[in-house]
Amino acid sequence: MGGTVSKAGRRLPKRAEAPSWAGARTPHPSDPPSNNPSSERGASERKTKEIEKDAHDPHFLANLSRLGPVRVDHMQTIPLSTPSTTTVARETSQLFKSRLESEHEASSTTPVHNRLHAVSLSYLFDERKSARSTQDIERLAKQYGIDASKLESLARYVSSPSVQSGSEKRTVEKDGEESLMIQAVWIDPHLRK
């Protein structure tokens, strides 16, 4: 069943010789210095035989010759205005325009419709918590110069800070520093139907 002829056909090919760098590793700083004189030498200003031998890589040379010579167009013109510089200029212009409008609104004595300072918005949200009807909310919105629909849209995501009564926790550290923790809560107005 197992003649020598069939066993000869199953032989694996002989392994090629391992490359010189196989199994090599970068030395760790705590490793003892190497006894190899070429590794101690490092870089050199002149090409030595060792450097020439190291530079001879047949795969690298084959890839270089396959790429061919480098083409350099010395007469290539670079456009002065690229899309990226135009975009940057437009965004910078928009930024300055926005800042100028903001400064104008801040220095103006007449309020701008649907625009409030943070402090005014906080007061508005505080007063909104005590509203009892939609008419109260509409009156507040009119008083602060904001649309009632904008106020309600904003109130879904933003509120002024409120604390829950009875949630105070006082702690005294080892160094005598006292800290007070109070739980914050979200309060919506209780509107009558």
Side-chain angles (χ1 to χ4, degrees):
M1 227 173 126
T4 58
V5 176
S6 65
K7 288 184 180 177
R10 288 188 281 170
R11 282 193 183 167
L12 297 174
K14 292 183 178 179
R15 291 186 180 225
E17 185 179 316
S20 62
W21 52 264
R25 65 179 184 87
T26 304
H28 192 269
S30 64
D31 288 347
S34 171
N35 291 335
N36 187 359
S38 64
S39 66
E40 291 175 8
R41 218 185 253 172
S44 173
E45 290 183 10
R46 300 177 194 265
K47 284 187 180 180
T48 62
K49 290 180 183 178
E50 294 163 344
I51 293 175
E52 290 286 343
K53 182 181 175 187
D54 185 45
H56 183 70
D57 182 358
H59 300 291
F60 178 66
L61 294 174
N63 288 337
L64 280 179
S65 64
R66 190 180 60 196
L67 286 173
V70 176
R71 291 185 307 262
V72 179
D73 185 10
H74 292 288
M75 301 306 290
Q76 181 181 4
T77 58
I78 300 171
L80 295 176
S81 177
T82 62
S84 62
T85 57
T86 306
T87 305
V88 169
R90 189 178 324 119
E91 289 174 355
T92 304
S93 174
Q94 181 64 30
L95 176 72
F96 285 131
K97 184 179 176 183
S98 172
R99 284 186 182 174
L100 185 63
E101 288 175 6
S102 178
E103 288 175 6
H104 182 338
E105 289 173 9
S107 65
S108 175
T109 56
T110 58
V112 179
H113 187 67
N114 283 339
R115 298 229 179 162
L116 294 174
H117 292 284
V119 174
S120 299
L121 188 60
S122 178
Y123 290 150
L124 173 59
F125 281 133
D126 283 338
E127 290 182 43
R128 181 183 171 275
K129 291 174 190 175
S130 61
R132 296 290 175 217
S133 65
T134 53
Q135 288 82 13
D136 289 346
I137 292 177
E138 289 172 359
R139 180 188 51 77
L140 278 173
K142 187 175 181 181
Q143 178 184 346
Y144 279 88
I146 187 170
D147 294 333
S149 60
K150 293 273 187 197
L151 175 60
E152 289 307 305
S153 173
L154 187 59
R156 280 189 275 162
Y157 305 104
V158 182
S159 183
S160 60
S162 299
V163 295
Q164 184 175 8
S165 59
S167 67
E168 298 175 4
K169 290 183 184 178
R170 291 186 189 274
T171 56
V172 179
E173 302 295 326
K174 291 179 181 177
D175 60 357
E177 186 176 330
E178 184 179 25
S179 62
L180 176 65
M181 298 273 294
I182 303 174
Q183 185 175 357
V185 292
W186 187 283
I187 299 176
D188 281 322
H190 301 291
L191 302 177
R192 286 177 276 180
K193 301 254 176 175

Coordinates of all heavy atoms in Angstrom, one line a residue, residues 69-127:
P69 N 11.7 57.1 -14.4 CA 12.2 58.4 -14.0 C 11.1 59.4 -13.4 O 10.0 59.3 -13.8 CB 12.9 59.0 -15.2 CG 12.2 58.3 -16.3 CD 11.8 57.0 -15.8
V70 N 11.5 60.3 -12.6 CA 10.6 61.2 -12.0 C 10.4 62.4 -13.0 O 11.4 62.8 -13.6 CB 11.2 61.8 -10.7 CG1 10.3 62.9 -10.1 CG2 11.4 60.7 -9.7
R71 N 9.1 62.8 -13.2 CA 8.8 63.9 -14.1 C 8.6 65.1 -13.2 O 7.7 65.1 -12.3 CB 7.6 63.6 -14.9 CG 7.8 62.5 -15.9 CD 6.6 62.3 -16.8 NE 5.4 62.1 -16.0 CZ 4.8 61.0 -15.7 NH1 5.3 59.9 -16.2 NH2 3.7 60.9 -15.0
V72 N 9.3 66.2 -13.5 CA 9.2 67.4 -12.7 C 8.8 68.5 -13.7 O 9.5 68.8 -14.7 CB 10.5 67.8 -12.0 CG1 10.3 69.1 -11.2 CG2 10.9 66.7 -11.1
D73 N 7.7 69.1 -13.5 CA 7.2 70.2 -14.3 C 7.6 71.5 -13.6 O 6.9 72.0 -12.7 CB 5.7 70.2 -14.5 CG 5.2 71.2 -15.5 OD1 6.1 71.9 -16.1 OD2 4.0 71.4 -15.6
H74 N 8.7 72.2 -14.1 CA 9.2 73.4 -13.5 C 8.3 74.6 -13.8 O 8.4 75.6 -13.2 CB 10.6 73.7 -13.9 CG 11.6 72.7 -13.3 ND1 11.9 72.7 -12.0 CD2 12.3 71.6 -13.8 CE1 12.8 71.7 -11.7 NE2 13.0 71.0 -12.8
M75 N 7.5 74.5 -14.9 CA 6.7 75.6 -15.3 C 5.3 75.5 -14.8 O 4.4 76.2 -15.2 CB 6.6 75.6 -16.9 CG 8.0 75.7 -17.5 SD 9.0 77.1 -17.0 CE 8.0 78.4 -17.7
Q76 N 5.1 74.7 -13.8 CA 3.7 74.5 -13.2 C 3.4 75.8 -12.5 O 4.2 76.3 -11.7 CB 3.7 73.4 -12.2 CG 2.4 73.2 -11.6 CD 2.4 72.0 -10.6 OE1 3.4 71.4 -10.4 NE2 1.2 71.7 -10.1
T77 N 2.2 76.3 -12.7 CA 1.8 77.6 -12.0 C 0.8 77.2 -10.9 O 0.0 76.3 -11.0 CB 1.0 78.5 -13.0 OG1 -0.1 77.8 -13.5 CG2 1.9 79.0 -14.1
I78 N 1.0 77.9 -9.8 CA 0.2 77.7 -8.6 C -0.9 78.8 -8.6 O -0.5 80.0 -8.6 CB 1.0 77.7 -7.3 CG1 2.0 76.6 -7.4 CG2 0.1 77.6 -6.1 CD1 3.1 76.7 -6.3
P79 N -2.2 78.4 -8.6 CA -3.2 79.5 -8.6 C -3.1 80.3 -7.3 O -2.9 79.7 -6.2 CB -4.5 78.7 -8.7 CG -4.2 77.3 -8.3 CD -2.7 77.1 -8.6
L80 N -3.3 81.6 -7.4 CA -3.3 82.5 -6.2 C -4.5 82.3 -5.3 O -4.4 82.4 -4.1 CB -3.1 83.9 -6.7 CG -1.9 84.3 -7.4 CD1 -1.9 85.7 -7.9 CD2 -0.7 84.0 -6.6
S81 N -5.6 82.0 -5.9 CA -6.8 81.8 -5.1 C -7.3 80.4 -5.2 O -7.9 80.1 -6.3 CB -7.9 82.8 -5.6 OG -9.1 82.7 -4.9
T82 N -7.1 79.6 -4.3 CA -7.6 78.3 -4.2 C -8.9 78.2 -3.5 O -9.2 79.1 -2.7 CB -6.6 77.3 -3.6 OG1 -6.4 77.7 -2.2 CG2 -5.3 77.3 -4.3
P83 N -9.7 77.2 -3.7 CA -11.0 77.1 -3.0 C -10.8 77.2 -1.4 O -11.7 77.8 -0.7 CB -11.6 75.8 -3.4 CG -10.9 75.5 -4.7 CD -9.6 76.1 -4.6
S84 N -9.7 76.6 -0.9 CA -9.6 76.7 0.5 C -9.3 78.1 1.0 O -9.9 78.4 2.1 CB -8.4 75.7 0.9 OG -7.2 76.2 0.4
T85 N -8.6 78.9 0.3 CA -8.3 80.2 0.8 C -9.6 81.1 0.6 O -9.8 82.0 1.5 CB -7.1 80.9 0.0 OG1 -7.4 80.9 -1.4 CG2 -5.8 80.2 0.3
T86 N -10.4 80.8 -0.4 CA -11.6 81.6 -0.6 C -12.6 81.2 0.6 O -13.2 82.1 1.1 CB -12.2 81.2 -1.9 OG1 -11.3 81.4 -3.0 CG2 -13.5 82.0 -2.2
T87 N -12.6 80.0 0.9 CA -13.5 79.5 2.0 C -13.1 80.1 3.3 O -13.9 80.6 4.1 CB -13.5 78.0 2.1 OG1 -13.9 77.4 0.9 CG2 -14.5 77.5 3.2
V88 N -11.8 80.1 3.6 CA -11.3 80.7 4.8 C -11.6 82.2 4.9 O -12.0 82.7 5.9 CB -9.8 80.5 5.0 CG1 -9.2 81.3 6.1 CG2 -9.5 79.0 5.2
A89 N -11.4 82.9 3.8 CA -11.7 84.3 3.7 C -13.2 84.6 4.0 O -13.5 85.5 4.7 CB -11.2 84.9 2.4
R90 N -14.0 83.8 3.4 CA -15.5 84.0 3.6 C -15.9 83.7 5.0 O -16.6 84.5 5.6 CB -16.2 83.0 2.6 CG -17.7 83.3 2.6 CD -18.5 82.4 1.7 NE -17.8 82.0 0.5 CZ -17.5 80.8 0.1 NH1 -17.8 79.8 0.9 NH2 -16.9 80.5 -1.0
E91 N -15.3 82.7 5.6 CA -15.6 82.4 7.0 C -15.1 83.5 7.9 O -15.8 83.8 8.9 CB -15.0 81.0 7.4 CG -15.7 79.8 6.8 CD -15.1 78.5 7.0 OE1 -14.0 78.5 7.7 OE2 -15.6 77.5 6.6
T92 N -13.9 84.0 7.7 CA -13.4 85.1 8.5 C -14.2 86.3 8.4 O -14.5 87.0 9.4 CB -11.9 85.4 8.1 OG1 -11.2 84.2 8.1 CG2 -11.3 86.4 8.9
S93 N -14.7 86.6 7.1 CA -15.5 87.8 6.9 C -16.8 87.6 7.7 O -17.3 88.6 8.3 CB -15.8 87.9 5.4 OG -16.7 89.0 5.2
Q94 N -17.4 86.4 7.6 CA -18.7 86.1 8.4 C -18.5 86.3 9.9 O -19.3 86.8 10.6 CB -19.1 84.7 8.0 CG -20.4 84.3 8.7 CD -21.6 85.2 8.2 OE1 -21.6 85.7 7.1 NE2 -22.6 85.4 9.1
L95 N -17.3 85.9 10.4 CA -17.0 86.0 11.8 C -17.0 87.4 12.2 O -17.6 87.8 13.2 CB -15.7 85.3 12.1 CG -15.2 85.4 13.5 CD1 -16.0 84.6 14.5 CD2 -13.7 85.0 13.6
F96 N -16.3 88.3 11.4 CA -16.2 89.7 11.8 C -17.6 90.4 11.7 O -17.9 91.2 12.5 CB -15.2 90.4 10.9 CG -13.7 90.1 11.2 CD1 -12.8 89.7 10.3 CD2 -13.3 90.2 12.5 CE1 -11.5 89.5 10.6 CE2 -12.0 90.0 12.9 CZ -11.1 89.6 11.9
K97 N -18.3 90.0 10.7 CA -19.7 90.5 10.5 C -20.6 90.2 11.7 O -21.3 91.0 12.2 CB -20.3 90.0 9.2 CG -21.6 90.6 8.9 CD -22.1 90.0 7.6 CE -23.5 90.6 7.3 NZ -24.0 90.0 6.0
S98 N -20.5 88.9 12.1 CA -21.3 88.5 13.3 C -20.8 89.2 14.6 O -21.7 89.6 15.4 CB -21.0 87.0 13.5 OG -21.6 86.5 14.6
R99 N -19.5 89.4 14.8 CA -19.1 90.1 15.9 C -19.5 91.6 15.9 O -19.9 92.1 17.0 CB -17.5 90.1 16.0 CG -17.0 88.8 16.5 CD -15.5 88.8 16.7 NE -15.0 87.5 17.1 CZ -13.7 87.2 17.2 NH1 -12.8 88.2 17.0 NH2 -13.4 86.1 17.6
L100 N -19.5 92.2 14.7 CA -19.9 93.6 14.6 C -21.4 93.7 14.9 O -21.8 94.6 15.7 CB -19.6 94.1 13.2 CG -19.9 95.6 12.9 CD1 -19.0 96.4 13.8 CD2 -19.7 95.9 11.5
E101 N -22.2 92.8 14.4 CA -23.7 92.8 14.8 C -23.9 92.6 16.2 O -24.7 93.3 16.9 CB -24.4 91.7 14.0 CG -24.5 92.0 12.5 CD -25.2 90.8 11.7 OE1 -25.6 89.9 12.4 OE2 -25.2 90.9 10.5
S102 N -23.1 91.7 16.9 CA -23.3 91.4 18.3 C -22.9 92.6 19.1 O -23.6 93.0 20.1 CB -22.4 90.2 18.7 OG -22.5 90.0 20.0
E103 N -21.8 93.3 18.7 CA -21.4 94.5 19.5 C -22.4 95.6 19.3 O -22.7 96.4 20.2 CB -20.0 95.0 19.0 CG -18.9 94.1 19.4 CD -17.6 94.5 18.8 OE1 -17.5 95.5 18.1 OE2 -16.6 93.8 19.0
H104 N -23.0 95.7 18.1 CA -24.0 96.8 17.8 C -25.3 96.5 18.7 O -25.8 97.4 19.3 CB -24.4 96.8 16.4 CG -25.4 97.8 16.0 ND1 -26.3 98.4 16.8 CD2 -25.6 98.4 14.8 CE1 -27.0 99.3 16.2 NE2 -26.7 99.3 15.0
E105 N -25.7 95.2 18.8 CA -26.9 94.9 19.6 C -26.6 95.1 21.1 O -27.5 95.6 21.8 CB -27.2 93.4 19.4 CG -27.8 93.1 18.0 CD -28.0 91.6 17.8 OE1 -27.8 90.8 18.7 OE2 -28.3 91.3 16.6
A106 N -25.4 94.8 21.5 CA -25.0 95.0 22.9 C -25.0 96.5 23.3 O -25.4 96.9 24.4 CB -23.7 94.4 23.2
S107 N -24.6 97.4 22.4 CA -24.5 98.8 22.7 C -25.8 99.5 22.5 O -26.0 100.6 23.0 CB -23.4 99.4 21.9 OG -23.7 99.4 20.5
S108 N -26.7 98.9 21.8 CA -28.0 99.5 21.5 C -28.9 99.5 22.7 O -28.9 98.6 23.5 CB -28.7 98.7 20.3 OG -30.0 99.2 20.1
T109 N -29.7 100.5 22.8 CA -30.7 100.6 24.0 C -32.0 99.9 23.6 O -32.8 99.6 24.5 CB -31.0 102.1 24.3 OG1 -31.5 102.8 23.2 CG2 -29.7 102.7 24.8
T110 N -32.3 99.7 22.4 CA -33.5 99.0 22.0 C -33.2 97.5 21.8 O -32.3 97.1 21.2 CB -34.0 99.5 20.6 OG1 -33.0 99.3 19.6 CG2 -34.4 101.0 20.7
P111 N -34.0 96.7 22.5 CA -33.8 95.2 22.4 C -34.1 94.7 21.1 O -35.0 95.2 20.4 CB -34.7 94.7 23.5 CG -35.8 95.7 23.7 CD -35.2 97.0 23.3
V112 N -33.4 93.6 20.7 CA -33.7 92.9 19.4 C -34.7 91.8 19.7 O -34.5 91.1 20.7 CB -32.4 92.4 18.8 CG1 -32.6 91.6 17.5 CG2 -31.4 93.5 18.6
H113 N -35.7 91.6 18.8 CA -36.7 90.6 19.0 C -36.1 89.2 18.9 O -35.3 88.9 18.1 CB -37.8 90.8 17.9 CG -39.0 89.9 18.1 ND1 -39.8 90.1 19.1 CD2 -39.4 88.8 17.4 CE1 -40.8 89.2 19.1 NE2 -40.5 88.4 18.0
N114 N -36.5 88.4 19.9 CA -36.0 87.0 20.0 C -34.6 86.8 20.3 O -33.9 85.8 20.1 CB -36.3 86.2 18.7 CG -37.8 85.8 18.6 OD1 -38.5 85.7 19.6 ND2 -38.2 85.5 17.4
R115 N -34.0 87.9 20.9 CA -32.6 87.8 21.4 C -32.5 88.3 22.8 O -33.0 89.4 23.1 CB -31.7 88.6 20.5 CG -31.6 88.2 19.1 CD -30.2 88.0 18.6 NE -30.3 87.5 17.3 CZ -29.2 87.6 16.5 NH1 -28.2 88.2 16.9 NH2 -29.3 87.1 15.3
L116 N -32.0 87.5 23.7 CA -31.9 87.9 25.1 C -30.5 87.7 25.6 O -29.8 86.8 25.2 CB -32.8 87.1 26.0 CG -34.3 87.3 25.8 CD1 -35.1 86.3 26.6 CD2 -34.8 88.7 26.1
H117 N -30.1 88.5 26.6 CA -28.8 88.2 27.3 C -29.1 87.0 28.2 O -30.2 86.7 28.6 CB -28.4 89.4 28.1 CG -28.0 90.6 27.2 ND1 -26.8 90.6 26.6 CD2 -28.6 91.7 26.9 CE1 -26.7 91.7 25.9 NE2 -27.8 92.4 26.1
A118 N -28.0 86.4 28.6 CA -28.1 85.2 29.5 C -28.8 85.5 30.8 O -29.7 84.7 31.2 CB -26.7 84.6 29.7
V119 N -28.6 86.6 31.4 CA -29.2 87.0 32.7 C -30.7 87.1 32.5 O -31.5 86.6 33.2 CB -28.6 88.2 33.2 CG1 -29.3 88.7 34.5 CG2 -27.1 88.0 33.5
S120 N -31.1 87.8 31.4 CA -32.5 88.0 31.1 C -33.2 86.7 30.8 O -34.3 86.5 31.3 CB -32.7 89.0 29.9 OG -32.1 90.2 30.2
L121 N -32.5 85.8 30.1 CA -33.1 84.5 29.8 C -33.3 83.7 31.1 O -34.3 83.0 31.3 CB -32.2 83.8 28.9 CG -32.7 82.5 28.3 CD1 -34.0 82.7 27.5 CD2 -31.7 81.8 27.4
S122 N -32.4 83.8 32.0 CA -32.5 83.1 33.3 C -33.7 83.7 34.1 O -34.5 82.9 34.7 CB -31.2 83.3 34.1 OG -31.3 82.6 35.4
Y123 N -33.8 85.0 34.1 CA -35.0 85.6 34.8 C -36.3 85.1 34.2 O -37.3 84.8 34.9 CB -34.9 87.1 34.8 CG -33.8 87.7 35.7 CD1 -33.2 88.9 35.3 CD2 -33.4 87.1 36.8 CE1 -32.2 89.5 36.1 CE2 -32.4 87.6 37.6 CZ -31.8 88.8 37.2 OH -30.9 89.4 38.0
L124 N -36.3 85.1 32.9 CA -37.5 84.6 32.1 C -37.9 83.2 32.5 O -39.1 82.9 32.8 CB -37.3 84.8 30.6 CG -38.4 84.2 29.7 CD1 -39.7 84.9 30.0 CD2 -38.0 84.4 28.3
F125 N -36.9 82.3 32.5 CA -37.2 80.9 32.9 C -37.6 80.8 34.4 O -38.5 80.0 34.7 CB -35.9 80.0 32.7 CG -35.8 79.6 31.2 CD1 -34.5 79.7 30.6 CD2 -36.8 79.2 30.5 CE1 -34.4 79.4 29.3 CE2 -36.7 78.8 29.2 CZ -35.4 78.9 28.6
D126 N -37.1 81.6 35.3 CA -37.5 81.6 36.7 C -39.0 82.0 36.8 O -39.8 81.4 37.5 CB -36.6 82.5 37.5 CG -35.3 81.9 37.8 OD1 -35.2 80.7 37.8 OD2 -34.4 82.7 38.2
E127 N -39.4 83.1 36.0 CA -40.7 83.6 36.1 C -41.7 82.6 35.4 O -42.8 82.4 35.8 CB -40.9 84.9 35.4 CG -40.2 86.0 36.2 CD -40.4 87.4 35.6 OE1 -41.5 87.7 35.1 OE2 -39.4 88.2 35.5

